[in-house]
Amino acid sequence: MPGMSGRFSTVVKAKINKLLDKAEDPAETLDYSYQKQLENLQNVKKGIADIVTAKKRLQMQSSKIEQSVVKLDTQARQALASGNEDLARVALERKNVAQTELQGLDQQIVELESQQQKLIDSEQQLRSKVEAFRTKKEVIKAQYNAAEAQVRISEAATGVGEQMADVGLAMQRAVDKTENMKARADAVSELEAAGTFDDLTALGSGDDDIDKQLKELSTASVVDDELAKMKAELGAGSSQPQGQIEGGEGQ
Amino acid sequence: MIVRISGEGQYRLDDDHHGKLDELDNAVVGAVDGGDEDGFHASFEELLQFVRGNGQRLADDDLEASDHILPPADLTFPEAGEEFSGDGLIPEPS
């Protein structure tokens, strides 16, 4: 087929040939193939372990930020209840940024899980083929002369080679995805280090560098909407003077 | 003939499906060339469904090589574009 699959088949088959051509001495090929297949299986296992590690890191970050969201929301309410609208706004800006990061992280965790499952399935297929190859290799060696056995075993090795190439592709895609996720996890770590999701009680009036950056990062309209909603819930209407901590006390 | 869907498995199809397979495959290429992302997803999905629906899944321990290999089902539109212009999905063997 000349189209999509034609191009794709060509690329995969080139990779298979590369995998199989390494052994130039025919006498070595039989055992070399099997050796190579076992190594390949080990690599896949390692690849799966790497994905699990990356996923755990994202999950830890996700649960930390989830806690920050709850905390910042509570603090915004408290600030508003005591009439400090500026502080409430800072808390909501932070919450907004945290929620955006959280969504991104959660989506990536789901993606990683799907990559992990695919690799586990591919590993199972490869394991079955390697085992079948081992059996077939012994049968062929016993039944045919060396030259003919060579040909027959090479044919069988191509089938395993195709599966190895395919698992290699799945791993490559998983690694690419994991790399992208590392970039995001690092970005979240930087935000954390900058104190973005920190406790607001440790904060001054709220006009430092972090807050300037936050104003750029967070969506003003979302924060405004949420602030208005929170005000309505608290029954703290516009009659309340801004920034007066005494104003809302006694609730 | 045997068709592999990358990342999924191998399917055995009657040889007389070849024409239809070609047609579906070309539709995917047409959509990619035309920059039609929705068309790409629809036609690629149709191609995969045709293989799954008309093919017999090979056992995991079957050692036969495939005649055709299709990209993985989660192939993105940009990846499909690279498939024709750049290095493709698989990096060149080193």
Side-chain angles (χ1 to χ4, degrees):
Chain A
M1 289 194 288
M4 186 82 173
S5 58
R7 165 89 173 101
F8 196 76
S9 301
T10 307
V11 181
V12 173
K13 280 175 182 165
K15 203 176 165 78
I16 297 167
N17 288 334
K18 195 86 188 172
L19 278 171
L20 298 179
D21 276 356
K22 290 252 166 80
E24 283 170 6
D25 178 2
E28 280 181 10
T29 310
L30 310 186
D31 293 319
Y32 178 85
S33 287
Y34 183 59
Q35 203 55 42
K36 200 77 199 156
Q37 290 163 12
L38 290 180
E39 276 172 29
N40 210 278
L41 262 179
Q42 283 305 315
N43 281 339
V44 179
K45 269 192 182 167
K46 228 180 105 228
I48 294 172
D50 287 347
I51 291 184
V52 171
T53 306
K55 196 178 76 182
K56 277 193 184 142
R57 186 183 175 200
L58 291 181
Q59 280 170 334
M60 269 166 63
Q61 275 193 327
S62 171
S63 70
K64 251 169 92 178
I65 293 180
E66 217 165 307
Q67 287 168 11
S68 295
V69 168
V70 173
K71 199 166 66 190
L72 289 167
D73 185 82
T74 307
Q75 289 183 329
R77 274 170 211 280
Q78 285 169 347
L80 204 57
S82 58
N84 194 340
E85 190 173 324
D86 285 345
L87 194 60
R89 181 177 290 278
V90 173
L92 287 179
E93 278 164 0
R94 291 184 176 213
K95 184 188 157 194
N96 185 230
V97 173
Q99 272 176 325
T100 308
E101 294 302 333
L102 193 60
Q103 278 171 10
L105 281 174
D106 287 348
Q107 196 188 329
Q108 290 192 321
I109 290 168
V110 170
E111 265 181 51
L112 269 190
E113 247 151 32
S114 130
Q115 293 292 323
Q116 185 188 338
Q117 193 48 54
K118 276 183 202 152
L119 266 187
I120 289 172
D121 293 346
S122 296
E123 195 231 341
Q124 182 53 49
Q125 289 177 4
L126 182 58
R127 184 177 298 282
S128 300
K129 280 191 178 8
V130 169
E131 180 54 28
F133 178 81
R134 190 185 65 82
T135 312
K136 194 164 184 172
K137 177 168 73 92
E138 295 312 315
V139 172
I140 292 172
K141 266 204 250 179
Q143 286 181 348
Y144 296 90
N145 67 51
E148 198 169 351
Q150 181 65 40
V151 172
R152 284 172 185 271
I153 292 173
S154 288
E155 280 168 12
T158 306
V160 188
E162 184 182 309
Q163 188 69 39
M164 289 198 290
D166 199 46
V167 174
L169 168 66
M171 292 234 292
Q172 184 61 48
R173 281 164 74 78
V175 166
D176 288 349
K177 284 224 162 78
T178 313
E179 287 299 316
N180 290 340
M181 288 172 199
K182 270 188 198 142
R184 175 176 281 271
D186 288 346
V188 173
S189 294
E190 269 176 41
L191 284 173
E192 275 177 344
T196 307
F197 311 124
D198 278 0
D199 202 312
L200 272 178
T201 50
L203 214 81
S205 64
D207 238 0
D208 52 15
D209 268 3
I210 298 175
D211 289 302
K212 278 186 207 130
Q213 287 171 32
L214 277 174
K215 272 175 194 138
E216 286 163 20
L217 277 172
S218 61
T219 320
S221 62
V222 172
V223 173
D224 285 342
D225 287 353
E226 201 165 356
L227 199 56
K229 213 173 105 191
M230 212 171 253
K231 273 186 191 172
E233 279 171 22
L234 284 167
S238 52
S239 62
Q240 203 123 40
Q242 266 192 24
Q244 269 187 21
I245 291 175
E246 300 82 22
E249 268 179 2
Q251 287 198 4
Chain B
M1 75 190 132
I2 297 174
V3 179
R4 172 186 287 273
I5 299 175
S6 179
E8 187 173 314
Q10 294 169 288
Y11 296 86
R12 189 187 303 279
L13 275 87
D14 283 345
D15 283 343
D16 52 10
H17 283 313
H18 201 284
K20 181 68 182 167
L21 210 54
D22 244 349
E23 187 188 307
L24 292 170
D25 194 25
N26 287 331
V28 180
V29 178
V32 174
D33 283 347
D36 176 6
E37 184 162 358
D38 290 341
F40 157 71
H41 286 298
S43 56
F44 187 44
E45 187 55 33
E46 203 187 337
L47 173 63
L48 297 178
Q49 284 301 347
F50 182 80
V51 173
R52 292 177 189 132
N54 293 282
Q56 185 92 33
R57 182 80 187 250
L58 253 64
D60 283 353
D61 61 359
D62 198 310
L63 293 177
E64 276 185 90
S66 306
D67 300 294
H68 304 291
I69 301 172
L70 294 175
D74 64 352
L75 186 78
T76 64
F77 186 59
E79 281 176 327
E82 284 164 25
E83 205 42 52
F84 303 110
S85 56
D87 284 343
L89 268 178
I90 301 178
E92 290 305 312
S94 51

